[in-house]
Amino acid sequence: HITADEAHTIGGIWKDLDKQATTALAPERVFTVYPWTTRLFSSFKHDFKATGSGVQGHAKKVVGALGTAVDHLGCLEAAFLDLSKKHQTIGVDTQNFKLLGQTFIVELAILLRDGFTPEVHEAAYKFFLAVAGALSAQYH
Amino acid sequence: EADKHAIRQVAHQIKPKLYGADALARLFELHPQTKTYFPSFTSYLATDPHVIAHGTKVFDALVKAAEHLDDLPKHLEKLAKKHGTELLVDPHNFVLFSDIIVATLAIHLPSFTPATHTAVDKFLEEVAHQLSSAYR
């Protein structure tokens, strides 16, 4: 359960975030640290750097979805109903949602440094856990 | 070899007292159930002497392990036995803690590239695997 305080923290970080920069970096990191996540991205033509056009394009979509999540913290499952179904159709292993969350957390840690306090860390962790849960909810 | 070099490079920069207390406090914050293993602690914040002492111990052990990359199983044998037969810490906690340690390093190190991140992740996975090896 995300508390009102945590929702406030998440909203604040999201508002200040340089979305274009960070969101392309997190996919690059997930593809490097957990190489099996590249499995479904053959259209990227083996370019998994943040500067690659495939990563950039996909990052844009991810940012959009995360923005939706920030705006719908109280009803994530409903907000991600179609997106969850879509990911099963594509064939994404639900564990990968958690891995992307972990790399986002690392990017936030690098970006915010001392500002990434244990409280902010916890709010971010719970946020990505909730997003992963909502994206996994329609798998059957 | 590139991974080993990166791991040693990171180990060299670690300040066990500072990073250890920070990482352990984050573990307690994100996963409150881990507090149950430390019932004698009066506070679970990074400023608490117990948290500092235990965090330092963990990170000292990690730095030492980084000096034994070629004989990790043998080097961690005693510690694995202690966790597996005496402390009986649920081994899943090693995985949870690994992710937190990675985030803590990302905060404190001047540079934490995806390549360094990968090497550290592989190292922590190996350590967690060894520490989980003597339960049964």
Side-chain angles (χ1 to χ4, degrees):
Chain A
H1 171 69
I2 293 171
T3 66
D5 274 356
E6 285 159 357
H8 184 74
T9 304
I10 293 163
I13 293 173
W14 185 253
K15 196 162 70 64
D16 295 339
L17 199 62
D18 177 353
K19 293 169 189 72
Q20 201 57 31
T22 352
T23 41
L25 289 173
E28 173 180 341
R29 193 170 284 273
V30 84
F31 291 139
T32 309
V33 182
Y34 313 107
W36 53 94
T37 56
T38 60
R39 182 175 65 99
L40 296 166
F41 294 99
S42 55
S43 65
F44 289 10
K45 311 225 182 303
H46 302 289
D47 182 5
F48 296 107
K49 292 261 170 262
T51 47
S53 61
V55 171
Q56 291 275 345
H58 189 69
K60 211 174 259 176
K61 284 193 221 167
V62 174
V63 177
L66 288 176
T68 304
V70 171
D71 292 337
H72 296 80
L73 286 178
C75 53
L76 275 183
E77 276 199 24
F80 280 164
L81 198 80
D82 291 334
L83 205 56
S84 175
K85 287 179 185 164
K86 190 176 167 191
H87 277 86
Q88 185 180 26
T89 308
I90 298 167
V92 181
D93 185 331
T94 53
Q95 172 65 14
N96 293 339
F97 304 138
K98 290 188 191 164
L99 298 181
L100 185 60
Q102 164 71 0
T103 52
F104 261 113
I105 283 174
V106 168
E107 290 297 343
L108 285 174
I110 292 171
L111 197 71
L112 302 175
R113 297 282 168 185
D114 286 347
F116 197 64
T117 62
E119 291 75 21
V120 174
H121 190 164
E122 187 189 12
Y125 175 75
K126 285 173 78 172
F127 171 71
F128 286 113
L129 201 64
V131 167
L135 284 175
S136 313
Q138 302 305 320
Y139 278 59
H140 59 85
Chain B
E1 278 308 313
D3 286 337
K4 286 181 184 173
H5 178 74
I7 293 162
R8 292 189 189 109
Q9 202 85 352
V10 167
H12 196 70
Q13 298 175 70
I14 282 180
K15 301 182 180 98
K17 204 171 153 179
L18 178 67
Y19 297 12
D22 189 10
L24 192 59
R26 287 169 192 275
L27 179 71
F28 294 141
E29 177 89 26
L30 268 66
H31 308 289
Q33 70 274 21
T34 56
K35 293 179 186 172
T36 55
Y37 294 103
F38 304 93
S40 66
F41 284 19
T42 42
S43 152
Y44 295 90
L45 300 175
T47 46
D48 182 80
H50 289 105
V51 176
I52 295 172
H54 189 71
T56 307
K57 207 162 137 185
V58 171
F59 271 62
D60 276 338
L62 286 174
V63 171
K64 250 213 177 103
E67 293 164 7
H68 289 268
L69 295 177
D70 294 320
D71 63 332
L72 213 48
K74 196 172 169 309
H75 173 71
L76 292 173
E77 209 180 318
K78 240 172 107 180
L79 212 52
K81 214 165 215 163
K82 187 170 177 179
H83 282 87
T85 61
E86 189 188 321
L87 302 173
L88 297 177
V89 174
D90 188 317
H92 180 59
N93 291 312
F94 303 137
V95 180
L96 296 180
F97 202 15
S98 294
D99 279 352
I100 303 229
I101 290 170
V102 165
T104 306
L105 293 175
I107 295 169
H108 293 286
L109 295 177
S111 162
F112 196 66
T113 64
T116 305
H117 182 163
T118 307
V120 169
D121 200 66
K122 286 168 77 173
F123 169 67
L124 292 173
E125 191 172 84
E126 186 60 28
V127 170
H129 176 69
Q130 289 310 325
L131 290 184
S132 312
S133 65
Y135 282 79
R136 54 188 185 174

